[in-house]
Amino acid sequence: MRYILLSCFALFLVSCKSSEEKQTNTDTNQNSQAEDRNADDLSAISTKDFREFKVLDSKYIDNSELWQPFNDDLKEFTEAMYNDLKPLILDQDIPTIQERINKRRFSYEQLTKFYLYRIRQFDRENELSLNSVIALNPNVIAEAKQKDRELLNRMAKQAIFGMPILLKDNVNTSSMATTAGAVALQNNTTEDAFIVEQLKNSGALILGKANLSEWAYFFCGDCPSGYSAIGGQTLNPYGRKTIDTGGSSSGSAVAVAANFCAAAVGSETSGSILSPASQNSVVGLKPTIGLVSRGGIVPISSTLDTAGPITKNVTDNAILLAAIYGYDDTDFKSKNPKWDNSYYLNAIENSTVKSKRFGAIKSLMENQLYANAINVLKEKGAEIIEIEAANIPLPDFLRLLNLDMKTDLVTYLNTYGNKNLVYTSIEDIMAFNKKDSVNVMPYGQALFQGIADDSATTKEFDKIKLILKTNGLRFFEEPMTEHDLDGILSINNYHAGFAAVAEYPAITVPMGYTEKGEPQGLTFIAKPLNEKQLLEWAYVYEQASKKRVAPKNYN
């Protein structure tokens, strides 16, 4: 398995050349104890070749309790009804589903029951279980019935209207607790996050919560991606227990791949959308930081965090992005582009790569799937310029996350968390975890310990952020300026660390499967607020290549 970074910074280490080089480039003002800690933590977060898991099934989800609100409604939804709906819904894009609902082929209520049926059939406690869904909205069927009534009254205005959406379980919503996969937040009932308000205002249905790598993968260190104490071990539908799910938005990507929802929301600090989307052969977009609000989302880093869409195809990605973006005056990085809701959808209608200039990284050309994808873009009129990836370090990347989360998590708890939570620091949560360490933290909490141990003056922290952003910008801007490039082409989340600190958006699209059946994605990276262009390019490639194949055991 290719070396992948855990957590929010998946594949950050791939961007760097060696542990020796990383230590050489450590900030000289950082004391030697912090240097040693940084090096040790970077080693700890490297992905291990997990095939045996300490924990597979959740010890905190009672399946009978999970389904109790739906038992009566689902009694009427028979296997015959499900099979009749399969060709109408399975792997269809949102516009096709909406068209069929408008033609009365089925209703929003039946669509919602279809996804619930599939989740119950496949997700937990069976030989094909994926453990991708952590909670279900107990009111979603009633809400779907209301959408059917609103449709009759011509109230369906947005493309996302009536679509059942899963949220990564670090996104607050009023109908379910927001746990970040952690037992410490099991009772964290809250108000809606800003992006959930956006979704509801557009008419979307909140179907439930998706499992994730606990605390967005910034917790345990020596653990598999997709594991959380609350949700158990998320598994990849293309290879249960054999192919990594990617993280930390593992459940969001797996649920989309397995057709458990119309689309899902993930979040990324560095790689947490791009990694699981590519690993599960779906489309994932990491927006420009600030395009999508972070208000009401359990954080790692206010410097780098963003939410973003994970979908089966590029069209749906544009639809979900159009529903969640928007200015939030409580988010200090929020941007206000003042585009209308059709802005991103127009990218699909007018897409082209003709005469666009893309930088293809020479060292990746050995990957045959990548080389094939490059040829597809050439055939569609793109100009490809092979470039060398610059050897630019990202010193103290881990410290940036440590120092941000130390304060940002406390801010979340005080501002957005349930008022009955008693935690005032990372140390309080660590102490809670130690009370039942076997169940609550079977892989330990090494990264939380790193947060607790780290500290810096404001001046030191500002310097860390400045150097990282400068180096991230250099990595992209130097070749883009020299070769007059529109974008950079990568694989999966291989350059997610640079895109994170440069605050560049990126989108990954399925580009095929390795000989072992592992999905890989072609990743487009562009300058800030060029999401429309990313969607255009991704759509052209997707339609020309058509590489996505649904996981065979879930059809």
Side-chain angles (χ1 to χ4, degrees):
M1 181 184 297
R2 182 177 284 270
Y3 185 68
I4 304 172
L5 248 205
L6 289 187
S7 169
C8 43
F9 29 83
L11 267 233
F12 157 62
L13 291 184
V14 170
S15 304
C16 302
K17 300 300 180 184
S18 67
S19 58
E20 178 181 350
E21 191 173 45
K22 284 189 285 285
Q23 291 190 54
T24 301
N25 290 302
T26 300
D27 184 353
T28 55
N29 291 329
Q30 194 177 323
N31 62 47
S32 60
Q33 182 180 2
E35 285 179 355
D36 292 341
R37 180 177 64 247
N38 192 50
D40 290 343
D41 282 350
L42 288 173
S43 175
I45 60 175
S46 303
T47 294
K48 310 303 185 294
D49 192 15
F50 281 97
R51 290 297 176 267
E52 297 295 330
F53 303 101
K54 290 183 180 180
V55 180
L56 192 61
D57 295 320
S58 170
K59 298 178 182 179
Y60 295 91
I61 294 176
D62 183 326
N63 224 33
S64 60
E65 185 178 321
L66 179 70
W67 289 102
Q68 191 277 329
F70 308 103
N71 286 337
D72 289 343
D73 282 313
L74 291 181
K75 280 180 184 177
E76 302 171 3
F77 191 81
T78 64
E79 184 176 0
M81 293 173 67
Y82 167 73
N83 286 327
D84 286 343
L85 288 172
K86 274 176 67 174
L88 300 176
I89 298 173
L90 205 66
D91 282 317
Q92 302 300 316
D93 61 24
I94 288 173
T96 300
I97 291 173
Q98 293 284 24
E99 179 184 14
R100 289 170 178 170
I101 289 174
N102 275 282
K103 290 181 177 179
R104 306 298 188 262
R105 303 289 298 278
F106 54 91
S107 65
Y108 292 118
E109 177 188 354
Q110 289 171 312
L111 176 67
T112 301
K113 288 179 176 179
F114 177 87
Y115 289 129
L116 288 170
Y117 187 99
R118 286 185 61 79
I119 293 168
R120 188 168 65 176
Q121 181 179 25
F122 290 119
D123 200 48
R124 290 191 181 271
E125 298 181 0
N126 63 77
E127 62 182 13
L128 292 174
S129 62
L130 300 172
N131 298 334
S132 66
V133 177
I134 211 167
L136 293 168
N137 174 7
N139 307 311
V140 71
I141 293 178
E143 291 167 2
K145 291 177 180 178
Q146 178 61 29
K147 297 304 173 190
D148 285 322
R149 289 190 288 270
E150 292 174 7
L151 178 65
L152 291 175
N153 293 323
R154 303 182 183 277
M155 296 175 66
K157 304 294 185 183
Q158 307 297 334
I160 202 76
F161 183 92
M163 293 298 103
I165 306 298
L166 285 173
L167 306 172
K168 183 177 180 179
D169 194 25
N170 59 352
V171 180
N172 284 1
T173 185
S174 59
S175 52
M176 294 158 280
T178 297
T179 73
V183 179
L185 297 186
Q186 193 171 17
N187 297 314
N188 184 34
T189 53
T190 68
E191 299 300 316
D192 288 334
F194 182 90
I195 63 170
V196 176
E197 292 178 351
Q198 294 282 90
L199 283 165
K200 289 182 176 180
N201 289 340
S202 296
L205 294 167
I206 306 304
L207 178 62
K209 294 291 198 76
N211 201 1
L212 71 165
S213 306
E214 189 166 340
W215 293 107
Y217 228 161
F218 203 52
F219 172 59
C220 43
D222 188 18
C223 54
S225 56
Y227 170 77
S228 75
I230 292 291
Q233 180 62 54
T234 313
L235 299 172
N236 191 315
Y238 290 90
R240 294 178 72 257
K241 305 181 187 179
T242 61
I243 296 176
D244 183 44
T245 62
S248 64
S249 303
S250 313
S252 298
V254 168
V256 168
N259 281 276
F260 292 164
C261 56
V265 173
S267 70
E268 173 154 332
T269 307
S270 174
S272 280
I273 289 173
L274 299 177
S275 167
S278 55
Q279 285 291 127
N280 291 278
S281 200
V282 293
V283 178
L285 173 66
K286 175 249 179 183
T288 304
I289 296 168
L291 181 67
V292 176
S293 167
R294 291 91 56 82
I297 300 176
V298 181
I300 291 176
S301 168
S302 59
T303 305
L304 304 181
D305 287 351
T306 182
I310 298 178
T311 59
K312 289 184 286 293
N313 54 73
V314 177
T315 299
D316 293 355
N317 212 272
I319 289 170
L320 185 50
L321 179 63
I324 62 174
Y325 91 94
Y327 179 70
D328 175 7
D329 61 11
T330 69
D331 183 345
F332 75 97
K333 283 208 169 186
S334 190
K335 301 184 186 302
N336 191 12
K338 297 182 179 178
W339 296 315
D340 63 34
N341 286 328
S342 65
Y343 180 77
Y344 294 115
L345 304 183
N346 290 341
I348 305 305
E349 296 173 6
N350 305 308
S351 55
T352 182
V353 294
K354 189 174 182 180
S355 300
K356 299 299 179 184
R357 293 171 60 83
F358 297 113
I361 297 172
K362 287 183 180 179
S363 61
L364 300 183
M365 294 300 290
E366 296 177 0
N367 182 307
Q368 191 58 53
L369 297 177
Y370 182 75
N372 292 344
I374 298 299
N375 287 334
V376 170
L377 290 171
K378 286 180 180 178
E379 290 170 1
K380 301 304 292 184
E383 298 177 32
I384 304 296
I385 296 87
E386 292 191 19
I387 61 173
E388 297 282 359
N391 184 14
I392 296 175
L394 295 180
D396 295 319
F397 191 101
L398 187 62
R399 294 200 69 214
L400 167 62
L401 306 187
N402 284 343
L403 296 167
D404 260 346
M405 192 169 184
K406 184 186 284 281
T407 58
D408 291 342
L409 180 55
V410 174
T411 299
Y412 166 85
L413 292 170
N414 290 336
T415 307
Y416 299 106
N418 186 285
K419 300 309 176 186
N420 293 322
L421 295 176
V422 297
Y423 317 114
T424 61
S425 65
I426 285 284
E427 289 83 355
D428 287 348
I429 296 171
M430 292 173 67
F432 170 87
N433 293 340
K434 289 176 182 177
K435 293 177 182 178
D436 185 13
S437 59
V438 172
N439 292 314
V440 174
M441 54 173 213
Y443 296 100
Q445 52 183 348
L447 294 179
F448 265 28
Q449 187 64 57
I451 296 169
D453 292 345
D454 210 344
S455 64
T457 66
T458 301
K459 184 177 179 180
E460 289 170 338
F461 191 25
D462 287 345
K463 184 176 181 180
I464 288 171
K465 289 188 281 190
L466 177 61
I467 291 172
L468 283 169
K469 183 156 189 178
T470 299
N471 288 8
L473 289 170
R474 282 182 55 208
F475 184 84
F476 295 114
E477 287 185 354
E478 288 178 1
M480 292 180 83
T481 300
E482 180 182 352
H483 301 289
D484 191 25
L485 302 177
D486 294 287
I488 302 290
L489 302 173
S490 182
I491 297 174
N492 293 9
N493 56 329
Y494 289 8
H495 299 91
F498 290 106
V501 294
E503 303 188 21
Y504 273 33
I507 189 169
T508 190
V509 188
M511 69 174 185
Y513 306 84
T514 67
E515 292 181 357
K516 295 181 179 180
E518 184 171 359
Q520 288 194 332
L522 176 66
T523 300
F524 297 82
I525 303 169
K527 290 185 177 182
L529 295 177
N530 276 346
E531 283 79 5
K532 182 177 179 180
Q533 289 74 18
L534 286 174
L535 290 162
E536 288 180 16
W537 306 336
Y539 182 77
V540 171
Y541 171 72
E542 174 192 60
Q543 295 303 303
S545 62
K546 295 192 180 295
K547 288 296 183 180
R548 182 177 186 269
V549 178
K552 63 181 181 180
N553 291 326
Y554 299 88
N555 289 319

